[in-house]
């Protein structure tokens, strides 16, 4: 089964990538894997405060991904798999790609203005030739109608 890996955050471009991947998966009989990466926490001198900050970040990421998965279920009829990890986003995406043979494509959204983002820059640049699957970059400024027609 084809799995489309989408790295989620709260950006417009991530939602565009998710919409594209969900539509594509629905049309090809595939699934969607949502990956949210929480940045490593800054060191806080008091352990209890740091633990509370880490838990808050985890809960915020889980809520964001659950909301996105609900949108997929409603719009495309798919129930995505959800993974939340803590660490460097490039490293976590790379590990997931190398550890999952079922990933048919990495789907990333590019910012509509300015830099396309660190993941697009990395995976579309220096790492592009060594990826274990195709990379799909979805422009963040595309309308829902255009995304639906492209998928």
């Amino acid at each position: 089964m084809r799995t489309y890996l989408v790295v989620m955050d709260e950006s417009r471009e991530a939602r565009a990538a998710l919409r594209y991947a969900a539509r594509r998966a629905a049309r090809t009989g595939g699934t969607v894997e949502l990956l949210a990466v929480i940045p490593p926490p800054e060191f806080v001198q008091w352990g209890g405060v740091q633990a509370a900050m880490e838990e808050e970040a985890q809960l915020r990421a889980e809520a964001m991904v659950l909301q996105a998965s609900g949108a997929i279920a409603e719009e495309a009829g798919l129930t995505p798999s959800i993974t939340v990890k803590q660490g460097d986003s490039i490293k976590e995406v790379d590990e997931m790609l190398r550890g999952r043979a079922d990933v048919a494509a990495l789907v990333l959204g590019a910012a509509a203005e300015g830099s396309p983002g660190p993941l697009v820059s990395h995976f579309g640049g220096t790492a592009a030739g060594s990826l274990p699957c195709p990379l799909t970059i979805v422009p963040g400024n595309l309308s829902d109608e255009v995304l639906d027609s492209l998928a």
Side-chain angles (χ1 to χ4, degrees):
M1 178 164 299
R2 293 178 183 199
T3 299
Y4 296 89
L5 176 61
V6 180
V7 182
M8 284 302 302
D9 59 22
E10 297 173 325
S11 67
R12 181 172 186 235
E13 56 268 18
R15 295 196 192 295
L18 175 59
R19 185 174 187 97
Y20 175 84
R23 295 294 191 270
R24 191 80 189 124
R27 289 192 175 125
T28 62
T31 63
V32 174
E33 174 81 30
L34 299 177
L35 173 63
V37 181
I38 304 166
E42 295 180 23
F43 177 73
V44 176
Q45 189 169 0
W46 300 280
V49 172
Q50 183 159 349
M53 290 170 57
E54 289 175 9
E55 183 178 353
E56 181 182 331
Q58 178 81 20
L59 291 172
R60 194 170 47 251
E62 288 173 0
M64 181 258 314
V65 175
L66 286 173
Q67 180 184 17
S69 71
I72 290 177
E74 186 177 308
E75 294 177 13
L78 296 172
T79 303
S81 299
I82 298 171
T83 303
V84 178
K85 294 189 171 219
Q86 184 174 28
D88 175 69
S89 58
I90 290 172
K91 181 180 175 225
E92 295 299 334
V93 171
D94 191 54
E95 284 180 9
M96 181 164 266
L97 288 174
R98 307 241 180 254
R100 298 269 310 261
D102 64 323
V103 174
L106 171 60
V107 183
L108 299 174
E113 296 178 2
S115 169
L119 293 176
V120 173
S121 295
H122 176 77
F123 290 106
T126 57
S130 63
L131 288 173
C133 65
L135 169 65
T136 302
I137 300 174
V138 179
N141 67 339
L142 297 181
S143 68
D144 289 349
E145 295 77 24
V146 171
L147 289 169
D148 293 348
S149 70
L150 291 173

